[in-house]
Amino acid sequence: MPRTYKIQVLPGDGIGPEVIQESVKILKTVSNGISGLALSFHEFPCGGKYYLETGCEWPGEAEVFSKQEADAILLGAVGWEKSPGDPVRRDDGQLAGATVVLGQRRELELYANVRPVKLYAGVPTPLADKHPRDIDFVIIRENTEGLYAGIGKHYGENEREELAIDMRPISRIGSERVIQYAMKLAMKRQKGAPSDGKPRVTCVDKSNVLIGDQLFRRIFDEIAQLYTNVVPDYAYVDAWTMWCLRQPEYYNVVVAPNMYGDIISDLGAAIQGGMGVAAGGNIGDMHAMFEPIHGSAPRHAGKRRANPVAAILAGKMMLEWLGERQNNKSALKAATIIEEAVKDLLSEGRVRTYDLCVRSYADVKPSTTKQVGTAIRKIVLQKLKAL
Ligand code: IPM
Ligand code: MG
């Protein structure tokens, strides 16, 4: 019997539970259908709505479980509103639920936020003349420091004197580990950049202006020298946003400090077909947490229309990470099957949620969250049978 991997499931707020349900359904299917893979699921409440009801962002047991028990964490989304435009906040003014996302990234030292930007066939991109062969890169966002370090202060007794400062620490250790992650990933990606096949790693920063970014780039250069097969590349973050739209095919692996990574990964999500298909992993040396990168989208909650593909691909990334970390080929196989099933469904084109019924798919009748999840599961089952 293989060891059972304990998956902590944190559905969270809004559309989180709706999409996570579909992801778990598919993970259960592969766990039952592939010998050598066994997953158990441990669900805990969390988020803004839970905070409203209980005064805490998640139960104490959930926090302990994530630190001590979980082999991997699957998160939906956090963030709830009391009324439209009025988010639930903690007493200190922070978004209720932030501990579960931002707190965990720091607490568990999930230093690499890995966000693949891959356009699948059958997914409309807003970029004219770009095709799936052109868009396939990975953004590695530093995930524990920078503007997200949580060090800031609000000053001023009266309004005229008000001043707010957020500190942006960028450390050698924090930069080294995330840049090394990016280099290793480039070594693993056999195809390289779509334009020329080069194992390029692009350092995206603002080192023409900011001291922290000068350190980040200097460390990038030091580490790049150790990876002689990797092709180092540089872009200032403002210019990168332009190049990303003009020639996404040039990029392979992109590494950036925290806030830039946050911003450019939404741009990446847009060109791969939107938030509905963009998944990410928060990865450290000891722990990892996977999530669809969309938020809780309170407006869409309960309407059964959210796209579960991002959450399903987050599950696929989780299996990939588990497979590599635990040296478990069955987990890797399961990840491939899930991705292939998603690809098949998307390229076939008829079963998709409203967000993908645009451009050449504008005439397709939108399916529900559950219909999409069920259709992917059906393809997964066919692939399992064929093994
Ligand atoms: C993300 C999100 C989060 C972030 C929010 C929800 C706090 O935008 O994961 O990209 O800013 O990191
Ligand atoms: Mg973001």
Side-chain angles (χ1 to χ4, degrees), residues 95 101-102 105 113 115 141 148 262 265-266 291 293:
L95 183 81
V101 193
L102 305 179
R105 288 175 182 168
N113 192 328
R115 298 187 160 179
R141 161 186 177 189
Y148 281 75
D262 178 45
S265 56
D266 277 21
E291 52 178 336
I293 81 168

Side-chain angles (χ1 to χ4, degrees), residues 312-332:
I312 291 167
L313 290 175
K316 169 246 163 191
M317 287 181 76
M318 182 180 82
L319 287 173
E320 229 163 43
W321 179 79
L322 275 170
E324 277 173 26
R325 179 178 165 80
Q326 311 273 358
N327 201 8
N328 180 323
K329 293 217 165 57
S330 305
L332 294 175

Side-chain angles (χ1 to χ4, degrees), residues 139-143 145-148 168 170 175 178 203-206 212-213 216-217 237 255-264:
I139 296 174
I140 308 295
R141 161 186 177 189
E142 199 293 317
N143 214 25
E145 50 182 35
L147 276 174
Y148 281 75
R168 183 171 175 260
I170 294 207
S175 306
V178 73
C203 180
V204 171
D205 60 45
K206 192 73 188 172
D213 290 335
F216 192 83
R217 188 177 284 205
V237 60
V255 64
N258 206 335
M259 185 84 233
Y260 307 146
D262 178 45
I263 296 168
I264 67 172

Side-chain angles (χ1 to χ4, degrees), residues 36-110:
L37 178 66
L39 305 173
S40 64
F41 297 87
H42 309 264
E43 190 176 314
F44 297 88
C46 68
K49 200 170 184 193
Y50 184 75
Y51 183 86
L52 215 51
E53 290 158 9
T54 65
C56 21
E57 292 166 286
W58 55 345
E61 311 90 78
E63 191 180 346
V64 173
F65 193 90
S66 75
K67 284 203 179 99
Q68 296 177 5
E69 298 281 332
D71 288 292
I73 306 168
L74 184 64
L75 171 70
V78 294
W80 192 239
E81 297 180 334
K82 282 181 266 183
S83 57
D86 183 14
V88 183
R89 294 188 182 278
R90 302 188 313 221
D91 292 344
D92 65 359
Q94 289 293 343
L95 183 81
T99 300
V100 182
V101 193
L102 305 179
Q104 289 278 91
R105 288 175 182 168
R106 288 199 302 260
E107 268 294 293
L108 302 178
E109 294 199 63
L110 310 177

Side-chain angles (χ1 to χ4, degrees), residues 4-328:
T4 300
Y5 303 130
K6 292 182 187 167
I7 309 302
Q8 181 172 37
V9 182
L10 299 168
D13 290 311
I15 60 170
E18 299 167 41
V19 295
I20 287 299
Q21 194 182 352
E22 299 310 313
S23 181
V24 169
K25 181 159 104 182
I26 284 160
L27 290 168
K28 283 187 177 157
T29 306
V30 289
S31 174
N32 292 333
I34 296 187
S35 64
L37 178 66
L39 305 173
S40 64
F41 297 87
H42 309 264
E43 190 176 314
F44 297 88
C46 68
K49 200 170 184 193
Y50 184 75
Y51 183 86
L52 215 51
E53 290 158 9
T54 65
C56 21
E57 292 166 286
W58 55 345
E61 311 90 78
E63 191 180 346
V64 173
F65 193 90
S66 75
K67 284 203 179 99
Q68 296 177 5
E69 298 281 332
D71 288 292
I73 306 168
L74 184 64
L75 171 70
V78 294
W80 192 239
E81 297 180 334
K82 282 181 266 183
S83 57
D86 183 14
V88 183
R89 294 188 182 278
R90 302 188 313 221
D91 292 344
D92 65 359
Q94 289 293 343
L95 183 81
T99 300
V100 182
V101 193
L102 305 179
Q104 289 278 91
R105 288 175 182 168
R106 288 199 302 260
E107 268 294 293
L108 302 178
E109 294 199 63
L110 310 177
Y111 55 82
N113 192 328
V114 180
R115 298 187 160 179
V117 178
K118 188 168 177 179
L119 178 64
Y120 291 112
V123 177
T125 173
L127 295 186
D129 305 326
K130 296 295 175 195
H131 305 277
R133 64 172 179 275
D134 301 314
I135 301 178
D136 184 3
F137 63 91
V138 183
I139 296 174
I140 308 295
R141 161 186 177 189
E142 199 293 317
N143 214 25
T144 56
E145 50 182 35
L147 276 174
Y148 281 75
I151 315 169
K153 202 166 158 52
H154 177 265
Y155 301 88
E157 295 290 299
N158 59 52
E159 267 180 30
R160 281 180 64 81
E161 287 171 359
E162 268 191 306
L163 170 70
I165 299 180
D166 292 288
M167 303 259 258
R168 183 171 175 260
I170 294 207
S171 69
R172 169 168 283 274
I173 288 177
S175 306
E176 273 176 2
R177 61 189 184 180
V178 73
I179 292 166
Q180 264 158 6
Y181 188 99
M183 297 289 167
K184 285 186 192 140
L185 178 64
M187 304 285 291
K188 268 196 283 184
R189 281 170 59 88
Q190 284 170 359
K191 285 194 194 149
S195 66
D196 55 9
K198 295 230 167 100
R200 183 173 290 111
V201 180
T202 307
C203 180
V204 171
D205 60 45
K206 192 73 188 172
S207 56
N208 49 345
V209 182
L210 298 173
I211 301 173
D213 290 335
Q214 286 159 12
L215 177 61
F216 192 83
R217 188 177 284 205
R218 185 151 50 80
I219 294 170
F220 177 86
D221 275 332
E222 284 171 25
I223 294 176
Q225 285 193 358
L226 307 174
Y227 290 82
T228 46
N229 291 329
V230 163
V231 177
D233 179 52
Y234 309 87
Y236 298 134
V237 60
D238 47 351
W240 188 86
T241 60
M242 175 185 72
W243 291 117
C244 166
L245 299 187
R246 287 198 180 155
Q247 47 164 26
E249 62 275 16
Y250 183 73
Y251 296 108
N252 177 43
V253 175
V254 171
V255 64
N258 206 335
M259 185 84 233
Y260 307 146
D262 178 45
I263 296 168
I264 67 172
S265 56
D266 277 21
L267 184 65
I271 68 169
Q272 76 184 115
M275 289 304 214
V277 294
N282 302 271
I283 298 180
D285 292 329
M286 305 302 291
H287 304 271
M289 176 167 80
F290 298 83
E291 52 178 336
I293 81 168
H294 59 66
S296 56
R299 262 187 322 128
H300 298 296
K303 300 203 174 127
R304 309 188 311 151
R305 62 203 302 253
N307 193 343
V309 165
I312 291 167
L313 290 175
K316 169 246 163 191
M317 287 181 76
M318 182 180 82
L319 287 173
E320 229 163 43
W321 179 79
L322 275 170
E324 277 173 26
R325 179 178 165 80
Q326 311 273 358
N327 201 8
N328 180 323

